Amino acid sequence: MGEFELIRRYFFPIAEAGNTSAVLLGPGDDCAIQRIEPGRDLVFSVDALVEGVHFPHHYDPEKLGWRSLAVAASDLAAMGADPVCFTLALTLPDADPDWLHAYASGLASAASCFGLSLAGGDTTRGPLMLSLQVHGTVPRGQAIRRSGAQVGDYVCVSGTLGEAGAALNYLESNNPQADEQAVLARYHYPEPRLRLGAALRGSVSAAVDISDGLIADLGHLLEASGVAACIDVAKLPLSAALKRLVGENAVNLALNAGDDYELCITISPREWGSLSEDIRSRLTIIGEVKPGDGLVINDDGQSRAPGAGGYDHFRT
Ligand code: ADP
Ligand code: MG
């Protein structure tokens, strides 16, 4: 199978996966063409995934297909962007048809789920590495940045935290139990919060997606905004499965572990009050923005800085 047959067979079909009306020209020419509607801004980001660094060696290619697009799309969700299309630069050690079929099928599922069509890419031989650039759009000026948090805003997170981190313990498990399967699904099939991010445009003051852990990513948001925050350990959203699996260490994982791809946002109490019931039900208020810098963690009446007092390991 030659390079072009490979691309045509496995990747061209994914050009039909998303909303194709904005992609005037998909893969096959020297460039793709995306039409930007008048009055909208293009929002784009690239993510590289290296075998052994961002995913384990011999990782299931179908899961890798989903995950590689999900983690890239999560950045669009954090900006409140409506997804449009993506490009894929793929470096492969060899053209293994089974691997390619499985990778392309995971990628195609994610692409149609997220509404992202494959607009083009590049295919080369070398150590396994994937680079995905995602494109979205927002009404002009409405992209959500990290830098807008204001003193007095609530700090909120979507979904539940810590499960993908717990899954690292069960990646090698041959016969995972129900709770283990639940947390493994969070690691293998992350769901970028694209609809939520877009729905929060115009309401929230700042947002970041949680890829490296709540403390790390909220820290980036606070630094960009020039503010501090306190969060309350008792308010962290933890799933029942996580609590059953790791007990008290659930808090550790929720604060420190990455790979959840939930959103962390800040929002004024007034805007919070104007959110629909449906959107509020997808968010949990975990703290408040304060003047100054840094993050303070309230734990059972005690205040501590992140990292101090035992939030230093992921082991369960
Ligand atoms: P060029 O040499 O002009 O950059 P290529 O030979 O690299 O073009 O690619 C030919 C066409 O196939 C281009 O339209 C490119 O976007 C597409 N393509 C290459 N690799 C991929 C891929 N992995 N996924 C989707 N499209 C791809
Ligand atoms: Mg060319």
Side-chain angles (χ1 to χ4, degrees):
M1 181 173 47
E3 179 188 326
F4 292 104
E5 202 204 327
L6 179 162
I7 296 166
R8 225 186 320 262
R9 181 182 305 174
Y10 295 106
F11 295 108
F12 278 24
I14 306 175
E16 311 300 326
N19 171 3
T20 49
S21 62
V23 182
L24 302 188
L25 186 62
D29 211 312
D30 290 308
C31 289
I33 305 175
Q34 178 185 345
R35 178 155 291 170
I36 314 291
E37 283 168 54
R40 293 185 76 93
D41 293 335
L42 173 64
V43 177
F44 59 101
S45 158
V46 66
D47 261 302
L49 289 91
V50 178
E51 182 176 40
V53 179
H54 300 97
F55 57 94
H57 287 282
H58 309 296
Y59 188 59
D60 179 332
E62 190 270 335
K63 297 183 173 88
L64 183 62
W66 177 281
R67 206 161 168 260
S68 58
L69 188 57
V71 305
S74 180
D75 289 320
L76 292 179
M79 303 297 288
D82 298 316
V84 176
C85 61
F86 70 106
T87 56
L88 167 68
L90 192 56
T91 305
L92 296 169
D94 48 37
D96 172 355
D98 291 339
W99 192 96
L100 280 161
H101 177 77
Y103 178 77
S105 100
L107 186 69
S109 307
S112 50
C113 226
F114 310 154
L116 283 162
S117 35
L118 182 56
D122 196 28
T123 308
T124 52
R125 187 187 284 256
L128 181 57
M129 181 183 149
L130 313 126
S131 209
L132 290 90
Q133 171 143 332
V134 288
H135 284 200
T137 64
V138 293
R140 184 168 293 168
Q142 284 192 31
I144 308 166
R145 304 175 188 212
R146 295 179 176 186
S147 54
Q150 303 287 324
V151 173
D153 286 353
Y154 295 140
V155 178
C156 306
V157 294
S158 63
T160 55
L161 299 178
E163 288 153 275
L168 297 179
N169 293 306
Y170 312 112
L171 288 181
E172 307 295 326
S173 172
N174 289 322
N175 185 22
Q177 305 308 305
D179 286 339
E180 296 169 358
Q181 281 176 28
V183 300
L184 280 165
R186 289 295 308 267
Y187 178 83
H188 293 309
Y189 299 103
E191 289 177 26
R193 303 305 183 192
L194 287 159
R195 272 191 300 266
L196 180 62
L200 290 170
R201 248 176 6 223
S203 302
V204 303
S205 53
V208 69
D209 68 316
I210 306 176
S211 52
D212 296 333
L214 175 63
I215 286 175
D217 290 311
L218 174 55
H220 297 318
L221 183 156
L222 298 176
E223 199 183 333
S225 297
V227 292
C230 67
I231 58 173
D232 192 339
V233 157
K235 293 183 176 156
L236 291 171
L238 306 171
S239 75
L242 180 70
K243 287 191 274 191
R244 282 191 297 266
L245 283 172
V246 304
E248 293 198 341
N249 204 33
V251 165
N252 252 338
L253 290 164
L255 289 172
N256 290 294
D259 298 324
D260 284 318
Y261 297 99
E262 295 293 350
L263 298 180
C264 177
I265 59 124
T266 57
I267 183 168
S268 71
R270 190 165 148 263
E271 291 290 349
W272 173 263
S274 338
L275 291 178
S276 73
E277 196 50 48
D278 175 54
I279 291 178
R280 266 194 303 223
S281 74
R282 303 191 53 192
L283 295 165
T284 305
I285 300 174
I286 60 165
E288 198 183 312
V289 177
K290 304 280 188 190
D293 61 75
L295 181 62
V296 170
I297 296 171
N298 292 326
D299 188 356
D300 209 11
Q302 306 229 12
S303 291
R304 60 174 66 160
Y311 294 124
D312 59 341
H313 57 84
F314 304 142
R315 260 171 282 120
T316 55

